[in-house]
């Protein structure tokens, strides 16, 4: 019986975090309220206090849940592609697919979180920055692997920054301008950049 309660409690916690990340992708972490979360997750308000001591702790765990979601939808699919320039492109394309499929109603949790917390010192800002640094570091490492394999001639930090900027741009452009064109431009921009920097462009698709 105790194990059953533990399982139900874990499921309730995960449902709340899933809803928190989805809602925060639209209204930000500061917009999370017990009422909205309880309704979205299908749990009672009293159930929250069994999992989190305060709102900041919930926000911190929402960031961690969003990181896990990013790994599941963006990083893991790209691992099926060989290391090198093709994996760099695969990471960008998996990110675009994550946005295009509407996994989150607001498009991107981290895009909203960085705007919300870039000028707010504290643990949540630090956790958001850590998550973003981990992602950019992984992207840079993937570029470095392509350089080491002779598949790219590039400064890994610079190219990772450019790919990240193009990935972020599609979040707003796809919602405020022509949606299909935004995704097409974001994909084409990175593909053209990689082909231009690769000694063997045939490793990459032409379009």
């Amino acid at each position: 019986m105790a194990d059953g309660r533990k399982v139900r409690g874990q499921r309730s916690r995960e449902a709340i975090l899933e809803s928190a990340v989805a809602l925060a992708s639209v209204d930000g972490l500061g917009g999370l309220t017990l009422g909205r979360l309880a309704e979205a997750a299908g749990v009672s308000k009293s159930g929250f206090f069994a999992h989190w001591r305060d709102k900041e702790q919930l926000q911190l765990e929402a960031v961690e849940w969003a990181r896990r979601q990013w790994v599941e939808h963006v990083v893991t699919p790209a691992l099926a592609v060989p290391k090198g320039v093709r994996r760099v492109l695969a990471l960008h394309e998996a990110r675009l697919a994550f946005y295009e499929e509407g996994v989150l109603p607001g498009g991107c949790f981290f895009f909203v979180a960085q705007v919300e917390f870039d000028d707010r010192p504290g643990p949540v800002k630090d956790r958001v920055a850590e998550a973003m640094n981990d992602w950019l570091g992984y992207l840079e490492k993937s570029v470095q692997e392509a350089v080491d394999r002779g598949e790219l001639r590039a400064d890994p930090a610079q190219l990772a920054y450019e790919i990240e900027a193009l990935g972020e741009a599609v979040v707003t452009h796809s919602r405020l301008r022509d949606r299909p064109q935004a995704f097409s431009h974001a994909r084409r921009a990175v593909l053209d950049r990689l082909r231009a920097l690769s000694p063997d462009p045939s490793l990459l698709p032409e379009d």
Side-chain angles (χ1 to χ4, degrees):
M1 188 176 295
D3 287 343
R5 285 197 299 268
K6 185 176 181 180
V7 170
R8 288 193 298 273
Q10 182 64 20
R11 287 176 179 169
S12 173
R13 178 178 175 277
E14 291 176 355
I16 294 168
L17 287 172
E18 189 81 23
S19 297
V21 170
L23 291 172
S25 74
V26 177
D27 297 324
L29 286 165
L32 298 178
T33 65
L34 292 184
R36 289 191 67 197
L37 274 174
E39 181 179 356
V43 300
S44 66
K45 292 183 182 180
S46 61
F48 280 80
F49 300 105
H51 301 293
W52 298 282
R53 62 178 180 269
D54 54 34
K55 186 173 181 177
E56 182 177 83
Q57 187 61 38
L58 170 62
Q59 291 174 332
L60 290 169
E61 293 202 29
V63 175
E64 291 305 311
W65 187 267
R67 289 175 75 165
R68 289 174 54 186
Q69 188 181 63
W70 188 266
V71 170
E72 177 186 350
H73 289 275
V74 178
V75 177
T76 300
L79 294 179
V81 177
K83 290 181 179 180
V85 66
R86 286 169 290 185
R87 181 171 294 179
V88 175
L89 179 61
L91 284 166
H92 181 64
E93 291 189 325
R95 176 187 196 156
L96 297 184
F98 177 64
Y99 297 154
E100 197 166 16
E101 291 165 7
V103 177
L104 295 176
C108 183
F109 171 91
F110 287 106
F111 184 86
V112 176
Q114 66 177 311
V115 174
E116 184 181 10
F117 283 93
D118 60 352
D119 290 321
R120 298 186 189 180
V124 179
K125 176 185 177 179
D126 293 344
R127 191 69 58 85
V128 170
E130 179 185 299
M132 293 177 63
N133 286 336
D134 285 349
W135 159 245
L136 199 57
Y138 182 75
L139 188 56
E140 184 177 333
K141 176 187 174 185
S142 299
V143 174
Q144 182 66 63
E145 289 174 343
V147 171
D148 293 343
R149 297 165 75 91
E151 295 180 4
L152 279 176
R153 297 191 186 103
D155 176 340
Q158 177 65 33
L159 183 55
Y161 184 89
E162 292 172 15
I163 294 171
E164 171 64 10
L166 287 162
E168 284 192 352
V170 81
V171 177
T172 51
H173 283 242
S174 65
R175 304 175 80 78
L176 294 172
R177 304 184 68 225
D178 186 299
R179 182 176 174 83
Q181 189 178 72
F183 286 104
S184 176
H185 283 175
R187 182 179 186 274
R188 186 76 212 188
V190 170
L191 177 58
D192 285 351
R193 186 78 173 116
L194 294 177
R195 287 181 62 84
L197 293 170
S198 178
D200 184 7
S202 67
L203 290 169
L204 297 160
E206 292 186 3
D207 53 34

